Amino acid sequence: MSRLSLYFLSRTQVIINSIDGIIVSSPYYNIKNFPLKERLEARIGLPIYLQSCTTAWTMSEFFSGASKYRKNIIQIVIDDHINACIITKGSILALGNSHAIEIGHININFAGLDCYCGNQGCLETHIAIPQILKKAQSIESTRSNCC
């Protein structure tokens, strides 16, 4: 077997079990407990490491980026979704079967907007980039209507 390894970076929002290489679920696709790592390894004959984008990005910063030579890193990413990754004492902090820390699904408003995760009022429904843009458009619309 080759020493070359492939990394699968998830840009779509899926919930992954990075330890076992399984896509647990996706709010956008009808996928449940799909063994992606196993299927890809069988198909191409190379080791596969399934990680969230945030974890992979943090690992790249740790090995060769702005955080090179640092033992402890906290990286928070706010874009279409909100995630975090923590490296402590040179190791990725794992929470259960995942390395990604889904801080976007911390509830900040129980009566808030519906979130694709099934909850209401998640942090992501308030401060992810699409929500910030909607709020800015609403403010601009209100401003143009009043003056």
Side-chain angles (χ1 to χ4, degrees), residues 17-107:
N17 171 334
S18 58
I19 308 297
D20 296 326
I22 295 170
I23 296 177
V24 177
S25 65
S26 169
Y28 306 116
Y29 305 102
N30 187 21
I31 298 174
K32 297 277 187 221
N33 299 315
F34 183 76
L36 182 62
K37 175 187 186 313
E38 176 185 311
R39 297 267 179 100
L40 286 175
E41 285 180 343
R43 179 83 183 218
I44 63 175
L46 295 173
I48 301 295
Y49 301 94
L50 188 66
Q51 290 294 344
S52 71
C53 267
T54 302
T55 301
W57 183 5
T58 305
M59 289 169 60
S60 69
E61 292 294 341
F62 177 75
F63 288 116
S64 61
S67 298
K68 190 174 180 178
Y69 307 117
R70 304 286 191 267
K71 295 283 186 209
N72 302 302
I73 304 167
I74 297 174
Q75 178 161 299
I76 298 172
V77 177
I78 300 173
D79 56 17
D80 288 352
H81 307 283
I82 302 170
N83 289 305
C85 181
I86 298 172
I87 296 180
T88 180
K89 296 181 184 174
S91 296
I92 298 173
L93 177 66
L95 301 173
N97 57 12
S98 178
H99 295 124
I101 301 169
E102 298 282 345
I103 62 173
H105 299 290
I106 295 170
N107 188 286

Side-chain angles (χ1 to χ4, degrees), residues 15 27 102 104-106 114-122 124-125:
I15 298 169
E102 298 282 345
H105 299 290
I106 295 170
D114 290 338
C115 183
Y116 65 85
C117 74
N119 292 325
Q120 284 183 296
C122 292
E124 198 165 284
T125 65

